[in-house]
Structures are given as C-alpha cells and as structure tokens.
Amino acid sequence: MVVAKSVKDSQGVVDYDPFAGGELSRVVPTTEPQREIWLVDQLGEEASLAYNESVTLHLTGRLDGTALRKALQAVLDRHSALRANFGPDGETLCVLEHVEVDLQLHDLSSVSPQQRETAVRQHQRQAVETPFSLGSDRLLRTELLRLTQDDHLLILTAHHAVCDGWSWWVLVRELGTLYALKRGDVVEPLPAADDFADYALEQARHPAGATFAADESYWLSRFAGEIPILDLPTDRSRPARRGFASAREDWVFAADLLTAIRATGARRGVSLFATLLGSFAALLARLANQTQVVIGIPTAGQSIDGHDHLVGHCVNTLPLLFEPDMTQPAVQAIDEAQATLLDALEHQRYTFGTLLSKLRIGRDPSRLPLVSVMFNIDQALDHEDTAFPELQLEFASNPRSFENFELSINAVQTHGELRLECQYNRDLFDAATVRRWLCAYETMLRAAVAQPSVILGELPLVDEAGRRELGAWQPAPTPFDAHRCAHEFFEAQCDRAPDRVAVRAGTEALSYIQLEERANRIAHLLRARGVHGGALVGIALGRGFDMLAALLGVLKAGAAYVPLDPAFPQERLDFMVSDAGLAALLTEQAHATRFDLRGRPVLALDQLGAELAAQPATRIGRDAAAAASDAPAYVIYTSGSTGRPKGVRVPHRATANFLTAMQEKPGLHAHDRLVAVTTLSFDIAFLELMLPLAAGAEVVMASHEQVRDGAMLRQLLETSGATCLQATPATWRMLLQLGWQGTPGFRALCGGEALAPDLATELMSRCGELWNMYGPTETTVWSTCWRVENPQQGISIGTPIANTTVWILDARGQICPI
C-alpha cells in the first residue's frame, strides 16, 4: 500500500499522485491503446462520451439486493482496472487499494407502465451521456432500477479506457457466481483474477520483444502503397471537423440465415467472423464504388496470452485491407477475408497507434486516419454460466449517443440469431440509410449462401425502386392486438359461448367450457410441477381431446409448447428434447419411457386422473413475462433435411397477427367445422387447432387411422358436416381419386407443396373456395395466400397476409412475380 505523493513501484518511481491523501496499491504505465483513448478524451465531452460502455442486465425473479451489492463490491475488489484513474498526462494508471461500490437505487414500481418505460429509457440514456473524468472519477458506475418486486434492471457503465468487450463477458459471468456466494449458495469459487497492472507492465516490455520487428514489417508492407480512404455516400455534406453525435440501428439475422452463413464458411474452412467480414467488405466496396477498403477490427489482448479472467482495456485495433474482386465468385471474398484475418492476427501485438506514427497519412480534421469503420463479433454470453440463482438474466448493451467511428457494427449472437448493433455518425447518415445498408447486407448474404458461385458484383442489393414496386404487393395493414396471447383468442370465445361445441373426436364432443376447464387443470398441474413463464414444455400425445387440452394448458401456464410426435425416430426425439431444454413433458403412459428429461417431470396424463381432478378449473391469469408480445407461443423443429433439425421460435405477437388475419382471409366463422389432419409437429397444425377456436368454430379431430386411410378421411369429411379442410396437394388428389364430391360452400386450403393447375381445376368444381397457401416454418405457418380463380392462367402463392412483408428477388436483385 502507498499513502504518499511520491509513489514507488517495483518498476520505478512516479512523482505524481492524483490521489494525494488516499491509498494507492500500484502505479504503472498505461498501455498504448489506453493512451490513444486518453488523447481522444482530451478533445472534449462528446469525444469522451464516445467511449462510454454501458450494459443492462435484466434480472427477473426475487432479487437479494444485499447479496447483489456485496457481489458488485467483490467485483471491484477483484479487478484493479475498475479501481484505477489516469495521471495528468495519460501516461500512468493509478490503482486504488479499495473503492467502495456506489450502487444507486431507483424504485419505479409505483409508477404506471408507460412512465416506467420512459424512466428506464431516461436512465439508460443518462448512463451513456454522463461523462467520466479519467483523472478523478470512479470509472465504473452502477445503478439498480426496481420495476416490480420481481423485476429489476442493473445498469453498469464503464469508460472504455478500463473496460472492453471481453471484460463485460468476464464481469457478468463473475457477478452471477459472486452473487450466489454472497447469498450463501454452494458454488464453485472463482479462480484468482488476472491483474491489469501486471498486464500493463507486460505491454510496456513488448517493443523490446523478438516479434516486434516482424510485426512492424508485416503492417508496413500492407500499407506500402497509397492509403485508401473509405468514402461512403453520405446523406449530408461532410463537416469540416468531424463530430461524435451518434445513434444506433439494430438488425437481426434470423437463425436460418446464421446457420447458412456458418455452413457456407465451414465448407471452405472459413470462420463465421471471416465470412461476415469478407461479405461486409464487399458491401462497403460496392456502396463506395472502391476497389480497396479498410475495416478495423478490435482484438482482445486477453486472448493472446490466456488472460481469461482479465478486466481492463486490452483492445488493439487491427486495420484490415480488403480488395474484393467483383468479377470473381462470391466465395472468393470470404476465402481472401480468412487469409487476411489470420495474417493480421499473427501480428496483432503491433499497436494501431504505433502503425499510424509510421505511415504517411495526411491530416484531415473531417476524418479519422486509416480506419473509419469498425466491425466486431461479440463473445456470446452463456446464460448457464452467467446464471444468478433463482433469477432469469437477459444481457443487452445500451446504445451510445456518441461514437468515434463513422460506422461501428457489433455482431451479437443471441438465441440462435445474430443481432447487428450498428452505431453510426448522425452528422453523416440518416437512420433510414443505415437500415437500407443493413438490409442490403442481409440480402447479399442470403444470395451468397444460396448460390456461392454467383459473381460477387452480381449479388443483389435492394434499391428504392425495388422497394416501391414490391410495396405495391403489400396488403393494407390490419389492426390486431399484438399483446394478445394465442390461447386468449380461445378464452374470449369460451366466455362468449361456453356451451358451444369446441372439438369433436369420434362420437364424442367437448364444449368450449369443458375444454377450458380441462386445459386450466393441466396449466395448474404444470405450475405445481415447477413450470414457469417462458419455459418450454414438450407434448407427445395421441390425436384426441388431451392433445388439444395440453396445448392450451401449456399456453395458459405461460409456457410455450414443443410438439414431439411419438412416431418420430428415437434419435430425433432425443435430439429435440436435449436441444430444447424442456422444463416438462406432457405425454401418456405408452410413450413416457421413451423420454429422458434428466429429472424434470414427465407427466403421463392418462395416469394422473385424480391429481388433475384435484387441480382448480379456473384460469391462472396472465404471466407478465410469458404474456409479453415477444414471448414464445411454440417452438417447431424443422425437418432437418439439410442438416440437424433446428427449433423455430414463434412469439405470441406473430400468432396474434396470424389468427386475426386468417379469420379475415381466407376467413373462418362460428358456423364452420374444420377437420384437423396434421401432426402437431408441423406448424400447419396450429392453424387447424387454434384458428377454429379463435373464431368460435368447431375442430373435428381426425384420428391417426383416419389421417392414414383416405377412405376413412373421405367418410369423416362427409359425415361430420365439415366446411373446411387444410391439406397438401397429395392428400387432395387422393380424396378426389376416392370419390370425394365436396359441397358448394366448402373452403379448401392447399399448401405444403406446389398446387398443379389440373388439381386446382378439379377442386374448384367441388367446393366454394380454393386457397393456395405458402410459408416456411420460420414464419408463422403461412406467409402468403391466394384465392384461386383461374388455374389455367397460373397458380400464384399470392400476396402477404396482413402485416407481413414478403419480397421475392432473383440472384441479380430483380423483382420476380409472386
């Protein structure tokens, strides 16, 4: 410990002590990247705010505030960088022996939800817009927002000079473990933390190291010619002096695209990062109409020497020079990106500031030297590793109001998707422009992974003319309640007409109120067995009343259902159970032994009659977390025909739009009877079971035997008084061959395969309406629909259902008829 104005360290003497009268543990030289940030910080408040790093941890559940405060204190005690300040010239880092955590508490539980949402945004904005003084302030700020008794937001804000992306990953993981320890839970203790002061001393010795000359030679050779300046088209004239005002646009690559991008790179031995980076370089080259572009990437110093538990600013910027050849196949760009990336990483110890000092770059106050665009891919936080006992954690970065770069993209892998967090300079670009570029990036990537041999310069980019033309295909918006859960459509009909028949199976029928009470009891059973809002519950039941009641019961419990067809191969069932992480399974005794949920409940409904009868028949009520519009209603696994099956998560917001829109077109009414034939493991079953219940109509449940036997299915259609059936072209052709005559008011829905004109013509002669439906599993059942009127002029997949956007482009970006 040092308590003096002249501080002696093992490496020498430092005469300046900014903490005169305080207690220092160490004073060490700052690293070169830290000094670069310090210099930018001296340009003014906006420049400093460009380096405010802020994250929000959404903690759902009963929070132990005392344990959280103690855990935050332990984090400060472990990591010297968080207790440090800078000397007056930015050359020294002064580490305090102890810094008391200052957790600001804000109780928002008594205000209205709208006021609460506004207050949260204000706190997050204030976090990124309150500057740090590098010479005197605490460089980590903490505040806790109480939304409700079981809902809190922990906002952590640090200056980038002492905390980088890797550091957040370390901090959040450690905070969960330390919280558990402070609660008295038995958990694996944390290993000793790496000391940033030691790391800083290591960096100070590097220029004398054996690799320095080779690193310098590599980088100077990369920029031996004319230094390219990335000149993207701007929405306004570039100001004479660059500013820092920024905003953020997020863009999500869906799971299917992310999977395809990975697969395309993997086939060529190219990493995900290199695949994204090479494609992004090609996009920038096309936007700027340049043959060379430079993109900066941050590299974590922690990863070089195995400092896995190190917190601090250890980032070095690597300027990667790309020369995408627009006349070559698209895959060449990612091959070259991989080579460029690997070469750069071999020489990543050479600092960006040192390189700039060696290059002859003319000073331009309107631009950053060499690197104006950054691209990064974040480490994914493993929620199991960051788990807080009895709490659910969601981690998100807070958008900055100021940014050092013209564009800075941070790619975050979350829930199987890839979120592109794009900070952009507001002096140069509009939000619409950035969104258009991100859309173009996705469009280009989708085309590239679909046809890797396509010439790079011919990959499609969506232009404004294309948007306007495609917009003409869009239907007028249809109002719908985005916060309405799927089962609440059924409940509304139950309240309206409780004694109306809801479902028939064989010779038996259940009214809406009988189905409601059965589903409510299943929901209470699930809650009693530990199923919480947002959990996933498997359903492996035969076709009958219990299958439909189980589906509704899972939704009523606040969970999402995952169908598991007992007819599937055991290997596929095992994979889905493991991949989904089911909280429980509803099944029957005949299938129960086929499933291993590793201690979580496997509930055979046909063996739980007494327990179910003892459960309340009343509704549970809305679960705040599960009733959110983006909470999942179901997870359907794809066929896996191109690889391992993947679970597609469909939220209640999407089902609300779907059920509302489908009641209008193709339409379903209370007098209808729809025959359900599809296995629950296909998303088409959602329409067959839920749309009639949403409209107050009847579901006629076809048995396994009736689904497999065309003659039995024909008989069911004729004897049940059915008015609607959804089936594949193969099933419709089979019914026609077996003599089904139809009725004038019958509504036939056809999907899953291409509808041939001759089949359409024959169907139209036997029914009142024929609709062609289209949509992949990744959407909510159907994306488009079209009423067939003149099959001989062609069969279209039609226009999007209400509030759904569908664009069809060819490989050159030209609009195709849909």
Side-chain angles (χ1 to χ4, degrees):
M1 183 190 307
V2 182
V3 194
K5 292 187 178 181
S6 180
V7 182
K8 186 172 184 179
D9 186 77
S10 61
Q11 302 299 316
V13 176
V14 177
D15 292 330
Y16 180 78
D17 178 10
F19 301 95
E23 295 182 343
L24 293 174
S25 63
R26 300 183 74 177
V27 177
V28 296
T30 51
T31 65
E32 186 170 298
Q34 283 183 313
R35 291 192 290 275
E36 293 168 12
I37 290 180
W38 185 88
L39 286 171
V40 175
D41 181 81
Q42 306 309 300
L43 296 177
E45 184 173 288
E46 288 191 1
S48 179
L49 289 174
Y51 288 99
N52 276 14
E53 301 284 338
S54 184
V55 301
T56 295
L57 275 61
H58 190 175
L59 302 169
T60 306
R62 189 58 56 90
L63 177 67
D64 185 336
T66 301
L68 179 62
R69 184 182 293 273
K70 290 180 179 179
L72 286 167
Q73 184 64 60
V75 166
L76 280 175
D77 295 341
R78 279 175 60 81
H79 297 293
S80 60
L82 302 180
R83 307 192 307 274
N85 291 103
F86 288 73
D89 57 0
E91 296 288 330
T92 53
L93 194 68
C94 310
V95 181
L96 277 174
E97 179 73 22
H98 178 76
V99 171
E100 192 70 23
V101 69
D102 182 21
L103 180 61
Q104 300 293 316
L105 304 176
H106 305 279
D107 192 344
L108 306 177
S109 60
S110 62
V111 301
S112 69
Q114 184 176 2
Q115 291 173 315
R116 190 179 305 137
E117 184 178 348
T118 299
V120 167
R121 288 197 300 267
Q122 289 175 340
H123 279 280
Q124 290 174 327
R125 184 169 62 251
Q126 185 178 15
V128 299
E129 293 182 357
T130 301
F132 288 97
S133 171
L134 295 185
S136 59
D137 280 352
R138 301 166 182 262
L139 299 185
L140 173 68
R141 294 193 293 257
T142 61
E143 57 179 321
L144 184 66
L145 310 184
R146 184 179 190 233
L147 308 184
T148 67
Q149 182 177 353
D150 294 325
D151 202 11
H152 294 77
L153 299 179
L154 177 62
I155 300 176
L156 306 176
T157 307
H159 199 280
H160 194 35
V162 297
C163 188
D164 56 17
W166 184 289
S167 299
W168 285 125
W169 178 74
V170 173
L171 290 175
V172 175
R173 289 181 59 161
E174 291 190 355
L175 188 59
T177 300
L178 292 167
Y179 174 82
L181 287 170
K182 299 307 178 183
R183 275 171 35 102
D185 296 333
V186 178
V187 295
E188 187 77 17
L190 292 171
D194 296 308
D195 192 335
F196 183 81
D198 291 337
Y199 173 83
L201 291 172
E202 290 175 12
Q203 296 305 296
R205 290 190 290 266
H206 175 63
T211 65
F212 181 80
D215 293 342
E216 181 170 83
S217 176
Y218 168 79
W219 287 110
L220 292 180
S221 68
R222 289 294 292 164
F223 295 99
E226 183 177 353
I227 305 297
I229 297 173
L230 182 59
D231 197 13
L232 291 168
T234 61
D235 293 304
R236 285 165 292 282
S237 299
R238 184 178 293 273
R241 187 174 297 276
R242 71 183 180 94
F244 298 87
S246 178
R248 192 173 98 182
E249 284 291 328
D250 289 359
W251 192 271
V252 176
F253 287 174
D256 67 314
L257 176 57
L258 181 57
T259 299
I261 294 170
R262 287 184 185 278
T264 299
R267 283 193 292 269
R268 304 184 70 83
V270 177
S271 68
L272 173 64
F273 187 29
T275 305
L276 293 169
L277 196 56
S279 304
F280 187 63
L283 173 68
L284 294 185
R286 292 180 65 176
L287 293 175
N289 194 27
Q290 295 180 202
T291 59
Q292 292 183 318
V293 295
V294 176
I295 301 174
I297 66 165
T299 58
Q302 293 97 327
S303 65
I304 301 176
D305 298 314
H307 296 299
D308 292 343
H309 304 283
L310 177 59
V311 169
H313 180 75
C314 307
V315 172
N316 182 36
T317 297
L318 301 184
L320 305 189
L321 176 62
F322 295 94
E323 301 177 271
D325 186 344
M326 297 298 166
T327 67
Q328 297 297 317
V331 290
Q332 180 172 314
I334 66 171
D335 291 345
E336 293 174 352
Q338 176 83 340
T340 298
L341 178 61
L342 293 178
D343 287 347
L345 291 176
E346 284 187 16
H347 303 283
Q348 62 181 296
R349 290 183 183 274
Y350 193 77
T351 63
F352 182 67
T354 302
L355 176 62
L356 287 182
S357 69
K358 299 287 185 178
L359 298 177
R360 294 183 178 180
I361 300 177
R363 184 176 181 276
D364 183 349
S366 71
R367 298 179 184 272
L368 278 166
L370 192 57
V371 171
S372 60
V373 173
M374 291 288 289
F375 194 99
N376 179 51
I377 188 165
D378 250 354
Q379 289 194 72
L381 279 171
D382 185 332
H383 284 203
E384 292 186 1
D385 289 346
T386 60
F388 287 67
E390 301 179 9
L391 295 173
Q392 289 183 317
L393 167 68
E394 288 291 335
F395 174 97
S397 61
N398 299 322
R400 291 190 296 277
S401 300
F402 300 92
E403 173 62 48
N404 190 42
F405 299 95
E406 294 181 13
L407 288 176
S408 179
I409 289 185
N410 188 46
V412 182
Q413 299 177 69
T414 175
H415 302 300
E417 300 174 332
L418 190 75
R419 184 175 69 247
L420 302 179
E421 301 173 344
C422 183
Q423 291 280 158
Y424 63 93
N425 187 302
R426 288 192 285 117
D427 292 337
L428 301 176
F429 308 114
D430 291 332
T433 297
V434 174
R435 286 196 299 271
R436 187 165 60 249
W437 289 353
L438 293 172
C439 181
Y441 185 32
E442 175 175 346
T443 301
M444 186 180 70
L445 275 168
R446 284 195 177 277
V449 299
Q451 293 181 289
S453 60
V454 170
I455 299 302
L456 184 61
E458 296 181 355
L459 291 175
L461 299 180
V462 180
D463 59 15
E464 286 300 315
R467 289 173 181 266
R468 287 193 297 270
E469 188 173 344
L470 288 165
W473 287 88
Q474 296 303 122
T478 298
F480 75 100
D481 185 354
H483 299 286
R484 196 176 193 184
C485 294
H487 59 282
E488 291 173 342
F489 286 84
F490 160 72
E491 290 176 345
Q493 293 297 338
C494 184
D495 293 341
R496 185 176 296 113
D499 297 324
R500 182 191 294 272
V501 172
V503 56
R504 298 179 186 273
T507 59
E508 298 181 356
L510 288 184
S511 68
Y512 272 81
I513 190 61
Q514 289 172 321
L515 180 60
E516 160 85 345
E517 292 177 350
R518 179 69 170 173
N520 288 338
R521 289 190 169 95
I522 292 174
H524 282 286
L525 174 66
L526 289 171
R527 283 293 183 87
R529 295 302 184 95
V531 173
H532 55 76
L536 301 184
V537 175
I539 297 178
L541 290 163
R543 300 185 61 78
F545 294 145
D546 267 354
M547 185 182 80
L548 183 51
L551 185 157
L552 291 167
V554 171
L555 297 176
K556 284 170 171 284
Y561 71 88
V562 182
L564 302 164
D565 193 327
F568 282 173
Q570 189 65 41
E571 183 180 358
R572 179 180 171 88
L573 291 173
D574 292 343
F575 168 78
M576 291 191 292
V577 167
S578 173
D579 186 66
L582 298 179
L585 173 70
L586 298 175
T587 187
E588 49 203 6
Q589 186 180 26
H591 306 305
T593 57
R594 298 184 60 191
F595 298 96
D596 179 9
L597 266 64
R598 300 183 179 276
R600 293 180 292 275
V602 176
L603 305 174
L605 296 182
D606 56 350
Q607 296 295 304
L608 297 173
E611 186 174 353
L612 276 171
Q615 299 296 326
T618 56
R619 294 171 189 166
I620 287 179
R622 288 176 71 94
D623 180 286
S629 61
D630 61 349
Y634 63 80
V635 174
I636 297 283
Y637 277 80
T638 60
S639 63
S641 58
T642 58
R644 293 207 307 179
K646 61 178 182 295
V648 177
R649 174 186 181 275
V650 174
H652 280 283
R653 178 185 64 253
T655 62
N657 178 49
F658 178 76
L659 292 174
T660 301
M662 295 301 284
Q663 288 183 66
E664 297 297 324
K665 188 179 75 170
L668 204 70
H669 310 287
H671 63 265
D672 281 313
R673 289 181 178 177
L674 187 149
V675 176
V677 297
T678 306
T679 171
L680 192 60
S681 289
F682 290 160
D683 61 344
I684 298 172
F686 181 83
L687 178 145
E688 295 180 346
L689 301 176
M690 294 301 292
L691 182 59
L693 298 182
E698 292 184 22
V699 177
V700 179
M701 187 83 71
S703 66
H704 284 292
E705 293 73 22
Q706 289 168 328
V707 170
R708 293 190 184 100
D709 189 308
M712 293 179 67
L713 180 58
R714 174 200 162 186
Q715 183 180 20
L716 177 64
L717 287 174
E718 293 171 345
T719 60
S720 65
T723 63
C724 186
L725 174 67
Q726 175 179 249
T728 63
T731 299
W732 283 118
R733 200 175 289 277
M734 175 186 67
L735 288 169
L736 292 175
Q737 291 171 348
L738 291 170
W740 178 69
Q741 296 301 311
T743 57
F746 196 91
R747 187 179 295 109
L749 309 183
C750 188
E753 305 164 10
L755 174 59
D758 68 309
L759 175 60
T761 300
E762 196 167 355
L763 281 172
M764 289 180 66
S765 69
R766 287 169 169 78
C767 61
E769 296 179 15
L770 172 63
W771 290 80
N772 192 33
M773 321 293 288
Y774 167 79
T777 304
E778 287 77 5
T779 66
T780 310
V781 188
W782 300 127
S783 305
T784 66
C785 62
W786 185 59
R787 183 172 178 177
V788 182
E789 294 180 337
N790 192 342
Q792 300 312 313
Q793 292 183 359
I795 305 292
S796 171
I797 64 171
T799 58
I801 65 170
N803 307 313
T804 301
T805 301
V806 177
W807 291 357
I808 307 293
L809 303 176
D810 68 14
R812 293 176 180 266
Q814 302 300 311
I815 302 163
C816 298
I818 61 174

